[in-house]
Amino acid sequence: MKRKHKLLFLLPLLLLPALAACGGGYDYAAHLSEVRSDIFCAETEEFSVTLNCVLREYPYAADGVASPMQRLVEISVSPAENTAEEYGVYVLGEHGEALLGGEASFRNFAGDWYFSQSVENFPKQSVTLRVTWGENVRELVATSVKSETTLGAEEALACAVEAERELVDRLTEDGVFRGEFYVRLLRRDKNYYYVGILDRAGGVLSLLLDGETGEVLARREN
């Protein structure tokens, strides 16, 4: 069992009451280890930028045991061309002040510049960002990829639980689910959800769901 760490910006799962209704009344939210609930995107000729709204357990471990979660924003900048200059990213307030942000770190595996920070609240609908590199500064508005027809994370979890009822029941002992869930909004040609179901023996069932209907489009077991 992992120790439960009390952190600044720690989120008790009480803050996810909507998820409690998933799966016929059982509170599967108590077993969430990660939720990517929204994605904000913007693009210029020089770069594309993405801001993800994420709830993630701390310490983070794929062990089938959920720990308390932090609220984070994760920002990535993907330059259109390779450059030796380092990037910085900032979230701006309504008067142009920097609410959060800083120097980003380059990720070799992704080829982008990455920054993350704990926050108290997530942006809604749109967010103004400032991107810096060298002597260059650009400000732009990133908008949410979600529409009125996009499922919420709680609805995606409910669809996954019902689609895999046999597995979920098999992982339930004495009325308690013995595993953890990942729910991540994805944006490709349209919106999707990834839902991972992890057991305590290291097994992972990965589902790809349609972001509007909740239909399971792909299934893989590891």
Side-chain angles (χ1 to χ4, degrees):
M1 294 288 291
K2 293 174 288 188
R3 291 182 60 191
K4 307 302 187 199
H5 290 255
K6 293 184 178 180
L7 302 171
L8 186 65
F9 305 125
L10 192 67
L11 291 181
L13 292 174
L14 295 174
L15 296 180
L16 296 172
L19 290 175
C22 296
Y26 183 85
D27 185 11
Y28 289 103
H31 307 282
L32 279 164
S33 292
E34 183 178 336
V35 180
R36 183 193 296 156
S37 58
D38 209 344
I39 302 171
F40 295 78
C41 298
E43 187 173 4
T44 72
E45 292 182 354
E46 298 154 313
F47 59 83
S48 61
V49 58
T50 301
L51 183 149
N52 294 327
C53 299
V54 178
L55 291 165
R56 181 176 295 129
E57 70 173 355
Y58 185 91
Y60 188 65
D63 58 3
V65 180
S67 292
M69 294 195 288
Q70 285 182 292
R71 183 183 277 128
L72 305 167
V73 293
E74 299 181 330
I75 307 173
S76 66
V77 180
S78 298
E81 298 181 357
N82 292 332
T83 174
E85 295 174 317
E86 297 183 349
Y87 280 75
V89 289
Y90 303 86
V91 174
L92 304 183
E94 58 180 303
H95 302 297
E97 72 280 16
L99 301 178
L100 62 93
E103 294 182 0
S105 300
F106 184 71
R107 301 191 296 186
N108 284 307
F109 73 90
D112 64 356
W113 293 84
Y114 172 83
F115 176 86
S116 69
Q117 185 171 330
S118 298
V119 296
E120 294 183 349
N121 299 293
F122 287 142
K124 296 180 179 180
Q125 297 183 331
S126 65
V127 59
T128 302
L129 301 173
R130 177 183 296 144
V131 178
T132 65
W133 70 105
E135 297 181 354
N136 301 293
V137 179
R138 300 288 183 271
E139 293 185 4
L140 66 168
V141 176
T143 56
S144 171
V145 302
K146 297 176 71 173
S147 69
E148 294 181 354
T149 59
T150 304
L151 297 176
E154 67 275 14
E155 295 171 303
L157 176 59
C159 291
V161 167
E162 291 309 311
E164 296 295 331
R165 174 55 63 184
E166 182 178 345
L167 171 62
V168 171
D169 288 347
R170 192 165 67 246
L171 295 178
T172 301
E173 300 176 9
D174 299 324
V176 178
F177 179 70
R178 307 294 183 180
E180 62 183 338
F181 298 100
Y182 296 162
V183 179
R184 301 171 185 152
L185 178 65
L186 306 174
R187 178 67 183 182
R188 299 294 183 267
D189 57 315
K190 55 180 289 187
N191 290 336
Y192 300 90
Y193 274 98
Y194 165 83
V195 178
I197 305 176
L198 294 76
D199 63 36
R200 297 186 181 183
V204 181
L205 173 65
S206 297
L207 302 174
L208 181 67
L209 275 59
D210 185 287
E212 295 186 355
T213 68
E215 177 188 359
V216 176
L217 304 176
R219 183 182 189 274
R220 184 179 66 186
E221 291 186 73
N222 294 329

